[in-house]
Amino acid sequence: MTRIGRWIGSHLVLTGGLLVLLYMYIPNIIVAIMSFNDSSGARNLYAFQKFTWDNWLNPCKPDNLCSSVVTSIEIGLLATLGATVIGTFAAFGLVRHRFRGRTAMNLVLFLPMATPEIVMGSSLLALFVAAGLGGQLGFWTILLAHIMFCISFVVVTVKSRLAGLDGNLEQAAADLYANEWQTFWKVTFPLVFPGILAAALLAFSLSFDDFIITNLNSGQTVTFPMYVWGASQRGVPMQVNVIGTLMFIVALAAVIIGELGARRRRKAIASR
Amino acid sequence: MSQVSSGTGRDLRLVGLHKTYPNGFTAVHDLDLVVPQGSFFALLGPSGCGKTTTLRMVAGLETPTAGTISIGESEITATKPYNRPVNTVFQNYALFPHLSIAENVEFGLKRRKVYDSGKQVKEILALTELEEQANKRPGQLSGGQQQRVALARAIVNRPEVLLLDEPLGALDLKLRRAMQVELKRIQEEVGITFVHVTHDQEEAMSMADTVAVMNQGVIEQLGSPYDLYTNPHTTFVANFLGRSNLIKGTVVGREGTGDDAVVKVDMHGTIASIKASKVHTDSKDGWLGIRPEKVLIQPEGTAIDAPGSSIPGCVVTDASYLGVSTDYTVRMPWGQEIICFEQNTGRRGGLIPVGTKVDVSWRPEFAFLLDASQDAGAGRQED
Amino acid sequence: MIATARKRTGYLLILPAAVWLAIFFVVPFYSLLATSLFDPEGSVLTGYDVTWHFANYWDALSEYGTVMLRSLWYAAIATFFCLILGYLLSYAIAFKAGRWKTVMLVLVIAPFFTSFLIRTLAWKMILADDGFVVNALQAVHFLGDDGRLLATPVAVVAGLTYNFLPFMILPLYTSLEKMDPKLNEAAADLYANPFTRFWKVTWPLSLPGVVGGTLLTFIPAAGDYINAELLGSPNERMVGNVIQSLFTTQGNYALAGALSVSLMVIIVTMVLVYVRRAGTEELL
């Protein structure tokens, strides 16, 4: 006990930081615990009743839960693809080219990040209604909206990676007999790729998790966050906690595997 | 390298090369230059003198405003960088961080679809003593190793001209000296024309056959390190390459003909003779220049080992003992302070104390005369 | 000639993004403006007319002015708490984590892969009336016997703080990470105590991160309605709740539009003033 006390005394800031980190995990821990909760016949959905594996064994039991997850994944993948392609092009244009209107473009790209979602969502709804699409809100209007708000984040992420790229490397490639095309694919792209990948991951998580904009423009289509929202009015099925925990585990596993893979590659190269 | 004198085959030729940037700054001013095939050529100058811009124009990374660049008979002024038989060792190496050392070295060969690239890579890694590092990434290498990779990556392509942009600038002093020897050895082994850009005069002089001293976009003087040092044509060269004492003088007459011709200069009452081949002014006034190690001093009244007149009535105002040599600062009778480097041969059996009255002299053949309109402080390095 | 070609490539590269944002961000904003000037008598069925009905704004602000102020106030408090917590954690990661830096950064981002709605619902559970937290606070008489956390401003602000904390941490970490730890040593060498070192060296150098982080926290927090809806009661309603329900359940597009535009104008004005005062215009 005294040893721990002393460590805390000499690492006050780190201890404080770790406590903040712990705070950030409280809901995740609760969600993980509740995913094993047997809520059948329970009066109070907000307390742990009885341990069960049922929720993990039958995650799709509640109506529409899994179909909403599938819808969210579909929209997420398409929005990621669209936003990453469009945003990466724009990032290259903004970093590598000088032209009139660059400042204006930078501002237009910044604004979606500085606009409250409720304003963006309601203005899109106003547009769709004005365009006579009020009755056709759904999958495609959600997708259009998601691509829109993801573009800015992709541009920012790719831009910072691109700006950190040493321009000498491309000149070195040109000096070593690589034409413009080869320089791009052999040097520029591999070096910017981690940035593009990070941007794509960010876009997917933004799209998958979006509720406010989606809710205003979804018509009858139900994404996963909308399912949760709807369910929360009545009482959330415990399977939602399974999905939440799964998302957390999958994302964490992806990060860890990616990092371990990169480390092993580095080691293999070093020892070969 | 003297057998590859100019005029044969594939010399690098710059004619009227000019570069003005869009912001109006002229970096290179109507440059004419011939770099003989197979020579080790150094472009020496302070930062901002236009040497790197010149190099980048040769590499094709910068477009000249006017003028032409050619290698032998083929003009390459507008050729894309990747179509030129020219390779560059970049200042900070610009090694591809995502590729291994072997892949870095192989990069150019692959682009040109050379079929036995693997073998060539092996050979060049052996030449640069990098076999052990072949599968590492640039980030895992030391500065000196990275430098050798940059060199290997360029020369494996057997370019006609290799450009080196301050290649040793990022290394510490000891490593730099070692790499100078290494570079010279490799150049002699592969026989490629090296154009080396540097601001370090010692580096330029120790490696290059020919040095061009550049200042404000023009070449001030071009020649062998020996010629540049012993016979500078401008105050800039006199000060930038080593150090010089510049003393105001007036031409009073000429004597002799041919190799024996001398110009007599009145230097605050003392007449000094300067070889006509070392006189670089037509006007009456001039700067008489003498290198500090050529200046001899002796306590008043003792004999000086030099022909010609000596200047009496000087005083030692400062002495710094450096082990091999001692740097003296001496105040001349007319108030100017000059410097004098003396080898500590033990001949005198001790240092000359500050305040001692001394006589100063030098052999006339070591002096040179520069134009009085030039700034006596040009090119002087404060270090 | 080369320059023109490069310029053309530049335009081509940004064209898709420019068009997309023009159609789905700029034009909608115009539609929103138009909507805010509709005749409020219209409906989805009978159609709307732009009647330059500026009275919508008057109606919106007189009816929902307190809600608007409450939103800004809640967002400001949440931003303040985010700044304190976020600074502590970012500082710890940047300077104290040593070789655990990457791990800690991953750990900061990881919880947010669970949908934020689910996490907010978890908070609802934690703060519930018969939950552990309330019971504990009642036991130490911090809360009265019938005191509660759920459906109070405390719960809403806590939820906002929790939800937007990473938006504060990432910019803060980026600017702290760039700082040379030697600067701190230099300040110590020049007789600065730890407190002075923080205020005179670390804090000023982290200002770009502070400004970026507070903006990224404040803006979404001011427009949020999830936390107010799930953790609050009608007394804690925020402007987002009002806009949302006017649009979807009440169908009063004109009033919703006016309120939306007002929120945007207020936030942009505040951001501009703030950024100018902080002397960090280059962030924009």
Side-chain angles (χ1 to χ4, degrees), chain C residues 130-201:
Chain C
D130 50 359
F132 163 79
V133 179
V134 169
N135 285 338
L137 289 176
Q138 281 170 343
V140 297
H141 298 289
F142 194 83
L143 276 178
D145 284 341
D146 52 353
R148 55 190 313 212
L149 287 175
L150 207 59
T152 66
V154 175
V156 176
V157 171
L160 288 171
T161 306
Y162 168 79
N163 264 311
F164 298 106
L165 189 52
F167 293 89
M168 179 66 85
I169 291 174
L170 294 180
L172 271 180
Y173 171 76
T174 313
S175 70
L176 283 172
E177 210 268 332
K178 272 190 225 150
M179 222 182 94
D180 186 353
K182 288 209 182 70
L183 291 176
N184 231 324
E185 292 170 10
D189 181 60
L190 297 165
Y191 317 108
N193 61 35
F195 189 75
T196 330
R197 284 206 298 269
F198 180 79
W199 279 114
K200 297 289 178 191
V201 181

Side-chain angles (χ1 to χ4, degrees), chain B residues 84-376:
Chain B
R84 298 182 182 212
V86 171
N87 286 114
T88 309
V89 175
F90 286 82
Q91 182 161 15
N92 293 312
Y93 317 139
L95 301 179
F96 303 124
H98 59 302
L99 303 179
S100 72
I101 301 311
E103 288 168 329
N104 262 282
V105 174
E106 202 174 20
F107 192 92
L109 297 175
K110 272 204 161 161
R111 299 288 84 72
R112 292 186 303 149
K113 308 204 166 29
V114 174
Y115 90 104
D116 64 338
S117 61
K119 188 168 150 267
Q120 295 194 33
V121 169
K122 274 214 174 80
E123 281 170 16
I124 213 78
L125 288 178
L127 180 72
T128 47
E129 292 161 18
L130 283 165
E131 298 108 314
E132 303 276 295
Q133 330 296 340
N135 293 312
K136 290 187 184 165
R137 297 272 170 133
Q140 299 169 304
L141 266 53
S142 71
Q145 288 171 331
Q146 291 187 15
Q147 208 286 326
R148 291 211 296 275
V149 176
L151 185 65
R153 186 178 72 173
I155 57 178
V156 73
N157 300 294
R158 300 268 156 186
E160 296 201 42
V161 178
L162 183 76
L163 306 173
L164 302 105
D165 185 5
E166 302 265 8
L168 309 177
L171 305 179
D172 64 49
L173 189 69
K174 227 173 151 181
L175 199 52
R176 196 150 74 217
R177 297 295 173 240
M179 282 305 299
Q180 286 173 9
V181 177
E182 186 80 3
L183 263 182
K184 184 78 189 153
R185 171 182 76 83
I186 290 172
Q187 195 266 340
E188 278 166 8
E189 211 151 307
V190 296
I192 296 170
T193 311
F194 273 36
V195 178
H196 182 133
V197 155
T198 179
H199 67 273
D200 180 343
Q201 48 115 354
E202 206 175 317
E203 192 174 298
M205 290 179 75
S206 67
M207 288 193 285
D209 311 317
T210 311
V211 176
V213 181
M214 255 188 111
N215 184 31
Q216 297 181 345
V218 296
I219 289 179
E220 290 253 342
Q221 193 177 345
L222 184 150
S224 70
Y226 181 84
D227 286 343
L228 289 178
Y229 189 76
T230 55
N231 189 7
H233 293 185
T234 63
T235 55
F236 179 84
V237 178
N239 288 322
F240 194 76
L241 232 73
R243 297 174 71 174
S244 295
N245 294 303
L246 296 175
I247 301 164
K248 200 112 211 170
T250 314
V251 176
V252 290
R254 293 168 188 271
E255 279 176 13
T257 51
D259 283 354
D260 297 331
V262 291
V263 173
K264 294 268 178 195
V265 178
D266 178 1
M267 190 179 68
H268 301 277
T270 309
I271 303 295
S273 321
I274 298 168
K275 285 173 80 171
S277 60
K278 293 195 175 186
V279 171
H280 305 288
T281 177
D282 299 326
S283 69
K284 240 179 114 47
D285 295 321
W287 293 110
L288 182 144
I290 185 74
R291 297 291 188 181
E293 74 279 5
K294 306 284 175 14
V295 176
L296 304 172
I297 63 172
Q298 193 70 346
E300 206 170 29
T302 45
I304 291 187
D305 166 37
S309 51
S310 60
I311 304 160
C314 310
V315 182
V316 173
T317 56
D318 190 36
S320 9
Y321 176 72
L322 301 174
V324 242
S325 62
T326 308
D327 293 4
Y328 291 105
T329 307
V330 178
R331 190 165 60 239
M332 305 302 281
W334 53 89
Q336 183 184 4
E337 289 195 325
I338 68 165
I339 44 174
C340 156
F341 301 158
E342 191 177 71
Q343 288 293 314
N344 291 331
T345 55
R347 177 178 57 89
R348 184 176 288 114
L351 302 181
I352 304 175
V354 172
T356 310
K357 291 202 163 166
V358 289
D359 293 347
V360 169
S361 182
W362 56 79
R363 288 174 175 273
E365 64 265 34
F366 291 145
F368 45 87
L369 191 70
L370 307 174
D371 200 285
S373 64
Q374 292 172 1
D375 176 12

Side-chain angles (χ1 to χ4, degrees), chain A residues 25 96-97 122 215 225 247, chain C residues 6 107 113 117 244 247 260:
Chain A
Y25 274 86
R96 290 307 172 82
H97 300 269
S122 52
N215 189 33
M247 282 157 63
Chain C
R6 278 189 70 80
L107 287 179
F113 285 107
L117 273 174
Q244 151 80 12
F247 260 119
S260 217

Side-chain angles (χ1 to χ4, degrees), chain B residues 20-36:
Chain B
T20 301
Y21 284 103
N23 65 10
F25 176 70
T26 298
V28 177
H29 204 96
D30 289 327
L31 193 81
D32 293 307
L33 186 63
V34 177
V35 178

Side-chain angles (χ1 to χ4, degrees), chain B residues 50-93:
Chain B
K51 57 189 193 300
T52 296
T53 306
T54 308
L55 196 79
R56 289 172 60 83
M57 286 193 283
V58 176
L61 302 171
E62 209 85 66
T63 319
T65 318
T68 60
I69 303 166
S70 38
I71 295 176
E73 297 304 308
S74 30
E75 196 194 313
I76 56 166
T77 318
T79 311
K80 293 269 188 191
Y82 49 82
N83 288 327
R84 298 182 182 212
V86 171
N87 286 114
T88 309
V89 175
F90 286 82
Q91 182 161 15
N92 293 312
Y93 317 139

